[in-house]
Amino acid sequence: MAKVQGALLPDHDGQAAGPVPFKEVAGVDAIPARPVTEHDAAISGMPRRLVYNNSLPILSYRGFWLLEDWARGTAAMADERRGGFVARPGDVMLATLPKAGTTWLKALAFATMARGLFPPASPDHPLRRLNSHDCVPTVESGLFACGREGVLDKLPSPRLLNTHLPLSLLPSSITDNDDCKIVYVCRDEKDRAVSTWHFIKRIKRIGSDVPFSEVYKSICEGTSACGPVWDHILGYWNASKKEPSRVLFLTYEQMLQDPMGTIRQLAEFLGQPISDAEEETGVVAEIVELCSLESMKKQKINREGSQGVGIKFSNDAYFRKGVAGDWLNHMTLEMGQHLDSILNEKFDGSGFTI
């Protein structure tokens, strides 16, 4: 059985219940971060550039631009000789571009999947004492990039995980596995650009004077982190059309407009449909309230804590406005139309529209 906060979790068919907050699993704290140097030769040979006030190196890794630490983590995930990432039956991978709604998606998916173990109305629910990033790890940057991939072996199944990687860079044990599911969230790139800009200004080594124009230009040119964004989006979009039972494609705007419908859709997709009894007792509304921006902002951990191993992020940096259309306060209509025209051209013929 798995141990969380000193308590043993019930087994199901001999396997511990999950998902659980990964930072509360027994033994996780004993796994130290370490420098990951095994792939230095390959990393050093990748094309690179400096971004955000020339403060962060970004590398071209098999057609996508990744922050250097993320590239190291991605290489480690793919390295089967040293173990790499090994999927388990029942694994759920939440995939997003950075600042596309990751924090909210982690909260919604965790609260939905773990509602039997942690009732959403409970005053001691993990999301009332932990940041959602403490519940769901980001595998390439939060584990493999800092040598803490051993955390994955400690987690009970089903594991709920997160990645910012494009589909083509995920290990085949995920992408070719009928027993693993992927949930992808896409956000209006104009709003994501604004959210990215506000977020990176909180990083000391970058500085608050980084111009918005640099973030905007990198997205338009396909050189932003995890970009080209159109290839990132289309990879998951096409997979969702080909295998809708394995890949669920959501939009941030859809989630904002109908959060209760999103939870029902998530639950159904993940094989845990909302029951009639749960509907009657208001479980869906309880999850919406628990995971709302207002509720998460109130939690002490989200006002005072921090995240990150190399680069530290204050937890409150993950909670700004969480709205659609804020781009109008930061760019001209012409800038918005220009970015939309680029994306429309890239998405032409795919069936996906912005």
Side-chain angles (χ1 to χ4, degrees), residues 18-170:
V20 298
F22 83 96
K23 286 197 174 179
E24 292 189 340
V25 172
V28 162
D29 287 344
I31 300 175
R34 63 169 180 83
V36 177
T37 60
E38 294 87 345
H39 305 94
D40 279 0
I43 296 294
S44 64
M46 294 177 184
R48 66 178 55 213
R49 53 196 292 267
L50 291 174
V51 297
Y52 308 144
N53 281 342
N54 293 319
S55 63
L56 289 178
I58 191 168
L59 313 182
S60 180
Y61 189 117
R62 286 172 47 191
F64 287 88
W65 288 94
L66 303 181
L67 296 176
E68 184 170 8
D69 285 348
W70 298 9
R72 291 182 188 280
T74 303
M77 286 177 67
D79 190 351
E80 295 180 357
R81 297 171 304 164
R82 292 183 173 90
F85 179 90
V86 180
R88 282 189 209 155
D91 278 355
V92 175
M93 185 69 77
L94 308 177
T96 59
L97 280 160
K99 307 311 298 176
T102 311
T103 304
W104 192 25
L105 177 62
K106 284 185 177 186
L108 287 173
F110 179 84
T112 300
M113 285 186 70
R115 66 188 189 272
L117 193 60
F118 304 111
S122 170
D124 192 40
H125 192 281
L127 289 171
R128 301 191 199 280
R129 63 175 185 270
L130 298 170
N131 184 278
S132 65
H133 298 285
D134 295 328
C135 296
V136 183
T138 301
V139 288
E140 69 278 1
S141 59
L143 298 180
F144 281 89
C146 53
R148 299 193 73 225
E149 60 271 20
V151 168
L152 292 168
D153 296 330
K154 301 283 186 182
L155 302 184
S157 293
R159 298 182 301 187
L160 181 60
L161 310 169
N162 167 243
T163 184
H164 289 313
L165 295 178
L167 186 69
S168 62
L169 294 188
L170 290 180

Side-chain angles (χ1 to χ4, degrees), residues 261-302:
T262 298
I263 290 167
R264 294 185 181 103
Q265 187 177 7
L266 264 176
E268 185 75 30
F269 174 75
L270 297 173
Q272 300 179 9
I274 305 296
S275 67
D276 291 342
E278 287 178 313
E279 290 284 6
E280 290 177 8
T281 56
V283 166
V284 176
E286 289 172 353
I287 294 174
V288 170
E289 190 282 328
L290 172 69
C291 301
S292 68
L293 181 67
E294 295 75 17
S295 175
M296 290 195 289
K297 269 186 173 182
K298 291 179 190 174
Q299 308 308 324
K300 183 178 180 181
I301 186 66
N302 294 329

